[in-house]
Amino acid sequence: MITETLASRATYSLVQEVRAGLLKTGQKELPAKCFYDDVGSALFEAICHLPEYGLTRADERIMRRYSEAMVSHLAAPVVVAELGCGSGRKTRWILEALSRRQPVVYHPIEISASALATCRRELDDIDSLRIAGFESEYLDGLLHVAAHRPVHQHILVLFLGSTIGNFDRPAGIRFLQQVRRILRPGDALLLGTDLEKPVSQLIAAYDDSLGVTAAFNLNVLARLNRELDADFRLDQFRHLARYNYHERRIEMHLLSTLEQTVTVPAAELMVTFRAGETIWTESSHKYNLPEVRQLAQQSGFRCENQWLDEEWPFAESLLIAQ
Ligand SMILES: C[S@@+](CC[C@H](N)C(=O)[O-])C[C@H]1O[C@@H](n2cnc3c(N)ncnc32)[C@H](O)[C@@H]1O
């Protein structure tokens, strides 16, 4: 096992994201990627262990049970690239299944340096695995992997944990089309999607009784205080998780409990909030199986197989680039 970081560059400009999101007329927003500093990545890991958040355990059950079957559908040899690996814990199963067939090169692609480091530690005991991570945005890392692959090698892209659900549906199609354009026919994408389920179950998952998801959400303001010298009063904002029935998604917001003005000096910003006004911080879209197959088709893939968890409806779909 060898590990290295191939590229480490400024992944995005927090200042630009904050200016664009907080200066929006109408609904203020901060993109979900702003959650993931060291504290945010640690809080996300804690969320994955919460009793209410069955999503990660469902995904892991699928990966553990079906990785051998998944690998049997793949052309050989393959290099593995994972978009937003997080801790990498669920990825172990498919890497082990692949490494029984061939020596494996694994490229975790992450904007969070601490998640990348955790992932490396998590997987560094797998025999004949070489880990070469990218601290970069999804497509920058994938472009690099594709540009440097040997001629006869296929790529298996992993996009687990229903992270696709952070994109609204049209943006999700556009993103998968961009992934497809980087790939060659016969390359594969394993796509995790959280499926529709009772709204009460979803609300509990995104507003847990211990308040860890609330802390995860509020940490984005704490991060702006730490990194951009902002003066958000965390006690004057409240975590809000609600289900949007029309869009079939959970939305997380930070609600200003009173009228207030916040300054963000490093972004040269002064922002006013009305009492009850929110910053929209994350969407988690929910899917059904035919919709995932249609998503595959619209983005230039065919759906080879789908594996499900029955306990917490969740699907891993193996898509092959056409
Ligand atoms: C919802 S978490 C999922 C983590 C893991 N895949 C799982 O299933 O548990 C999303 C991960 O993607 C990373 N991430 C978010 N936006 C990203 C981007 N634009 N480029 C690269 N990584 C990103 C985050 O740091 C985080 O670790």
Side-chain angles (χ1 to χ4, degrees):
M1 191 280 320
I2 304 167
T3 69
E4 58 189 300
T5 298
L6 283 182
S8 181
R9 56 185 98 130
T11 54
Y12 61 94
S13 160
L14 187 60
V15 166
Q16 276 171 24
E17 298 291 349
V18 168
R19 283 190 63 83
L22 295 187
L23 285 175
K24 275 211 164 123
T25 47
Q27 177 67 62
K28 293 180 172 64
E29 288 177 32
L30 287 171
K33 64 183 166 191
C34 296
F35 283 139
Y36 296 98
D37 66 347
D38 293 358
V39 179
S41 289
L43 286 168
F44 179 74
E45 265 315 291
I47 289 171
C48 294
H49 293 280
L50 293 173
E52 293 97 330
Y53 195 78
L55 190 157
T56 305
R57 285 184 293 280
D59 198 5
E60 179 151 16
R61 278 191 294 272
I62 296 172
M63 296 303 288
R64 199 174 51 222
R65 277 183 201 156
Y66 301 116
S67 276
E68 286 288 352
M70 291 169 180
V71 164
S72 72
H73 288 274
L74 298 174
V78 292
V79 60
V80 182
E82 179 162 15
L83 310 180
C85 59
S87 74
R89 205 173 45 248
K90 290 175 290 177
T91 311
R92 159 174 302 277
W93 311 103
I94 195 144
L95 293 177
E96 286 187 344
L98 274 169
S99 68
R100 284 191 278 277
R101 187 175 89 165
Q102 56 162 94
V104 181
V105 179
Y106 168 57
H107 298 290
I109 300 167
E110 251 300 333
I111 44 163
S112 163
S114 66
L116 202 52
T118 306
C119 173
R120 262 200 227 104
R121 281 194 302 274
E122 178 73 31
L123 300 172
D124 73 357
D125 64 329
I126 299 178
D127 282 343
S128 66
L129 179 70
R130 180 177 155 234
I131 304 178
F134 290 88
E135 191 186 329
S136 71
E137 295 226 39
Y138 302 131
L139 297 179
D140 290 342
L142 188 58
L143 273 166
H144 199 283
V145 172
H148 293 88
R149 70 156 112 181
V151 180
H152 298 296
Q153 192 150 47
H154 282 288
I155 298 180
L156 166 64
V157 178
L158 305 176
F159 199 24
L160 308 182
S162 206
T163 307
I164 183 75
N166 293 160
F167 293 93
D168 65 32
R169 286 176 216 273
I173 296 172
R174 286 196 299 276
F175 180 74
L176 293 190
Q177 286 171 338
Q178 285 174 293
V179 170
R180 170 61 193 90
R181 278 198 287 276
I182 296 172
L183 301 179
R184 290 189 201 139
D187 288 344
L189 166 64
L190 187 65
L191 180 69
T193 46
D194 198 23
L195 302 179
E196 292 171 286
K197 50 184 64 62
V199 170
S200 57
Q201 197 178 354
L202 288 173
I203 293 289
Y206 292 87
D207 194 6
D208 63 277
S209 52
L210 209 52
V212 183
T213 315
F216 173 71
N217 198 5
L218 282 160
N219 175 60
V220 74
L221 302 184
R223 179 182 183 191
L224 303 192
N225 289 351
R226 287 190 294 269
E227 293 185 30
L228 304 183
D229 242 356
D231 56 2
F232 282 98
R233 290 264 316 261
L234 269 53
D235 58 346
Q236 294 180 174
F237 286 86
R238 188 163 65 73
H239 168 65
L240 181 69
R242 65 186 180 212
Y243 191 71
N244 180 326
Y245 284 84
H246 183 64
E247 300 291 348
R248 292 179 291 128
R249 67 183 177 216
I250 287 280
E251 294 176 2
M252 295 210 312
H253 291 253
L254 290 163
L255 181 143
S256 173
T257 55
L258 43 80
E259 188 176 326
Q260 56 183 315
T261 300
V262 176
T263 59
V264 191
E268 296 177 350
L269 261 188
M270 181 181 281
V271 194
T272 57
F273 292 90
R274 296 185 310 277
E277 186 177 359
T278 70
I279 310 173
W280 184 6
T281 49
E282 191 188 64
S283 296
S284 299
H285 290 79
K286 305 302 163 186
Y287 300 86
N288 57 55
L289 293 176
E291 186 183 10
V292 177
R293 292 194 286 272
Q294 196 188 5
L295 177 61
Q297 203 196 351
Q298 287 168 316
S299 45
F301 294 91
R302 80 181 149 75
C303 185
E304 170 84 5
N305 213 332
Q306 295 181 299
W307 294 272
L308 304 183
D309 188 67
E310 305 292 348
E311 209 176 305
W312 175 284
F314 190 96
E316 281 294 345
S317 304
L318 184 63
L319 314 185
I320 306 294
Q322 292 190 297

